[in-house]
Amino acid sequence: MNLDTIGTFSQQLFFGNKDFKEEILPEAAAAVLLKQSFREVDLKYFSNYRKNIPSGTLDRIKNVISHYKRLGISAQRLNEEAQLLSDSEKLKALDISLIYERYSIKINELKLFEIGDVYFNLNNLSPDEFHSAFRKLYPDVDLIVIQGFDEFTSPEIEIINTASNIKDTRLYLELDYS
């Protein structure tokens, strides 16, 4: 029996499908890359922090960006949504979108990934590539059981939907509901 979270399942499928070594971005490296990104973009709302951003603020922005990635929200979409805001909220969202975009470029260049990046890339595989990656890791599996969840992000739903279409495999989904 193979037991995985949706995150580890996705990582195994994605990383098992590639010819080169890739890895999840370590927290320490994320902090360094985010701090570099902060210094490299033209900020308005966070302009006072350009040279020395407090670690608490850096952590909060890192968590916001990681959360957006898990939800499938890109830097470009955040920028578009920021246009609908006003005053300081708009400036803050625009700054975060700039930092997010620069940060994403940096981690892509290093071939490092956060879980949201894994979801994005896995969802960009063709159905045949997804099927092949699944069969490579789980050649004899004919039943996928998903239990213990009460909500999914849009990228997770796409992964589950694609997994449900794997030939000769059934998918059982049990939602916790109280």
Side-chain angles (χ1 to χ4, degrees):
M1 180 182 296
N2 302 297
L3 295 174
D4 291 299
T5 65
I6 190 121
T8 58
F9 173 74
S10 298
Q11 288 174 44
Q12 290 177 22
L13 284 179
F14 179 64
F15 293 138
N17 191 46
K18 297 296 176 189
D19 296 330
F20 52 91
K21 186 179 181 317
E22 297 163 351
E23 62 182 276
I24 293 296
L25 179 65
E27 287 297 318
V32 169
L33 295 172
L34 193 61
K35 193 174 266 194
Q36 288 174 353
S37 300
F38 226 91
R39 291 181 180 138
E40 294 173 6
V41 294
D42 184 27
L43 301 173
K44 306 283 189 275
Y45 184 84
F46 294 107
S47 62
N48 292 337
Y49 296 139
R50 178 174 298 281
K51 293 191 180 178
N52 191 20
I53 180 169
S55 16
T57 302
L58 192 69
D59 286 344
R60 280 187 295 242
I61 292 173
K62 160 74 175 76
N63 291 338
V64 165
I65 290 171
S66 295
H67 184 69
Y68 285 154
K69 285 182 177 189
R70 280 192 306 277
L71 294 175
I73 299 170
S74 66
Q76 180 181 354
R77 180 165 166 216
L78 178 58
N79 186 302
E80 291 165 3
E81 294 292 325
Q83 302 305 323
L84 304 174
L85 301 172
S86 60
D87 303 328
S88 67
E89 288 303 310
K90 179 177 182 175
L91 293 176
K92 185 191 305 184
L94 288 171
D95 277 5
I96 292 172
S97 75
L98 288 171
I99 296 163
Y100 180 177
E101 182 176 17
R102 184 68 194 134
Y103 174 71
S104 293
I105 289 168
K106 287 180 170 296
I107 65 174
N108 285 338
E109 288 171 349
L110 294 170
K111 293 186 175 20
L112 296 170
F113 298 86
E114 292 183 319
I115 192 63
D117 300 315
V118 170
Y119 290 169
F120 175 81
N121 285 288
L122 189 58
N123 283 325
N124 281 318
L125 294 177
S126 71
D128 288 340
E129 289 171 319
F130 190 100
H131 177 104
S132 175
F134 181 86
R135 284 295 167 216
K136 184 176 172 183
L137 291 167
Y138 309 107
D140 300 321
V141 169
D142 63 356
L143 174 65
I144 300 168
V145 178
I146 301 171
Q147 289 181 293
F149 295 93
D150 58 2
E151 64 183 359
F152 297 98
T153 65
S154 291
E156 290 169 340
I157 291 169
E158 283 184 58
I159 291 165
I160 292 167
N161 188 47
T162 304
S164 74
N165 291 319
I166 295 172
K167 187 177 184 211
D168 300 323
T169 302
R170 295 171 297 139
L171 187 134
Y172 173 80
L173 174 62
E174 178 183 301
L175 295 173
D176 274 351
Y177 179 77
S178 57

